[in-house]
């Protein structure tokens, strides 16, 4: 079964600083990978997804970007953080092919921009 | 585009009782998957149960079961013998079949409190 790691677990950053959140996956190959953001008490908003190395699709226009430098590594970045970037960021993974489409989630990163 | 609606923002249940969380969805697809995820205070999203739309039999996982009504586009979650550890946000989610990115559409969530 898949295991999804995210770090850091918590991050406090000043406005205008850069951001890099990392997600790595174990136990599967060539997964689909996803970045979600969740505001306090709210549902999940899909930010980016990737079906392969170097392939990134963005769901919403925003201050953030994503990259997939390796098969099981997914990075969320920003050059200059905004206050509105605060939230809980979740990485998810799903297998490709074979009928197992379920998304499994990592533990998340709490980001507070001050 | 698909939409998922959870009409109960908050619910509470006494320990050991049964509770049902509602979910409706809107789609023109015939083949799809439905999921319930649980998000406890730790905020980790945990898969509770999954249903394939082509299966008529309702999915069951221990104390968790669903009532899937395809014609009505309804997908409710029943939790039997509620436990304090069931206290969490519960999200219903929809996935279109053979969608290249396996993308999920989530409902807004229901906060469930299990009272001792």
């Amino acid at each position: 079964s898949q295991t999804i790691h995210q770090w850091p677990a918590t991050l406090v950053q000043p406005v205008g600083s850069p951001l890099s959140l990392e997600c790595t996956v174990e136990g599967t190959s060539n997964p689909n990978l996803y970045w979600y953001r969740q505001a306090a008490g709210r549902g999940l908003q899909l930010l980016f997804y990737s079906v392969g190395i170097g392939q990134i699709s963005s769901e919403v226009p925003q201050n953030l970007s994503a990259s997939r430098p390796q098969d099981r590594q997914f990075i969320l970045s920003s050059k200059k953080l905004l206050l509105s970037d605060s939230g809980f960021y979740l990485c998810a993974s799903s297998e490709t092919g074979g009928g197992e489409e379920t998304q499994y989630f990592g533990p998340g990163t709490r980001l507070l921009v001050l | 585009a698909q939409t998922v609606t959870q009409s109960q923002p908050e619910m509470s249940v006494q320990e050991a009782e049964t509770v049902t969380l509602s979910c409706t969805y809107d789609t023109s697809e015939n083949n799809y998957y439905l999921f319930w995820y649980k998000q406890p205070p730790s905020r980790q999203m945990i898969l509770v149960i999954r249903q394939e739309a082509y299966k008529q039999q309702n999915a069951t996982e221990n104390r968790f079961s669903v009532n899937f009504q395809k014609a009505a586009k309804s997908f409710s979650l029943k939790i039997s013998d509620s436990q304090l550890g069931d206290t969490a946000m519960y999200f219903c989610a929809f996935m279109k079949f053979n969608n290249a990115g396996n993308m999920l559409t989530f409902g807004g969530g229901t906060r469930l409190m299990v009272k001792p």
Side-chain angles (χ1 to χ4, degrees):
Chain A
S1 63
Q2 300 179 46
T3 302
I4 299 118
H5 302 280
Q6 286 186 245
W7 64 88
T10 304
L11 192 59
V12 180
Q13 292 285 94
V15 170
S17 63
L19 173 74
S20 181
L21 303 183
E22 187 162 348
C23 170
T24 58
V25 182
E26 293 178 355
T28 187
S29 296
N30 193 31
N32 289 338
L33 297 174
Y34 312 83
W35 279 112
Y36 290 90
R37 177 168 56 203
Q38 184 181 30
R42 307 286 289 276
L44 277 71
Q45 179 187 38
L46 178 64
L47 301 176
F48 300 96
Y49 71 94
S50 172
V51 299
I53 295 173
Q55 300 178 64
I56 309 294
S57 296
S58 174
E59 286 297 293
V60 294
Q62 59 199 297
N63 182 45
L64 302 169
S65 62
S67 61
R68 185 169 176 176
Q70 299 181 47
D71 181 45
R72 289 171 290 176
Q73 183 186 29
F74 204 25
I75 297 172
L76 184 68
S77 303
S78 173
K79 293 181 179 178
K80 289 186 178 182
L81 283 168
L82 305 173
L83 288 174
S84 58
D85 291 324
S86 292
F88 188 63
Y89 289 83
L90 285 156
C91 177
S93 170
S94 71
E95 296 188 4
T96 54
E100 181 49 67
E101 298 80 4
T102 302
Q103 285 189 24
Y104 295 94
F105 287 80
T109 295
R110 291 172 177 78
L111 172 65
L112 179 60
V113 182
L114 300 175
Chain B
Q2 288 75 32
T3 59
V4 178
T5 303
Q6 295 179 247
S7 58
Q8 306 150 314
E10 293 187 1
M11 294 191 71
S12 63
V13 63
Q14 291 296 131
E15 194 176 8
E17 298 291 309
T18 296
V19 64
T20 299
L21 308 183
S22 300
C23 173
T24 58
Y25 56 95
D26 186 23
T27 184
S28 58
E29 301 291 328
N30 188 49
N31 291 322
Y32 48 87
Y33 304 95
L34 294 163
F35 303 85
W36 278 98
Y37 284 90
K38 167 185 176 181
Q39 189 178 40
S42 68
R43 301 190 79 175
Q44 167 101 48
M45 290 286 283
I46 302 166
L47 177 69
V48 175
I49 201 164
R50 155 190 162 133
Q51 174 83 42
E52 290 86 352
Y54 61 85
K55 291 186 177 178
Q56 293 186 343
Q57 186 173 9
N58 288 325
T60 299
E61 287 288 343
N62 301 314
R63 298 182 294 108
F64 298 88
S65 62
V66 298
N67 182 6
F68 173 47
Q69 301 289 329
K70 191 173 183 180
K73 298 180 182 176
S74 171
F75 183 60
S76 60
L77 174 70
K78 186 172 82 170
I79 306 174
S80 303
D81 186 24
S82 296
Q83 300 176 359
L84 296 178
D86 296 332
T87 292
M89 282 287 288
Y90 287 82
F91 292 95
C92 177
F94 172 100
M95 180 187 291
K96 193 169 62 172
F97 187 74
N98 272 346
N99 142 31
N102 288 349
M103 286 178 287
L104 286 169
T105 301
F106 283 90
T110 296
R111 185 177 303 279
L112 176 67
M113 173 73 71
V114 180
K115 298 179 178 179

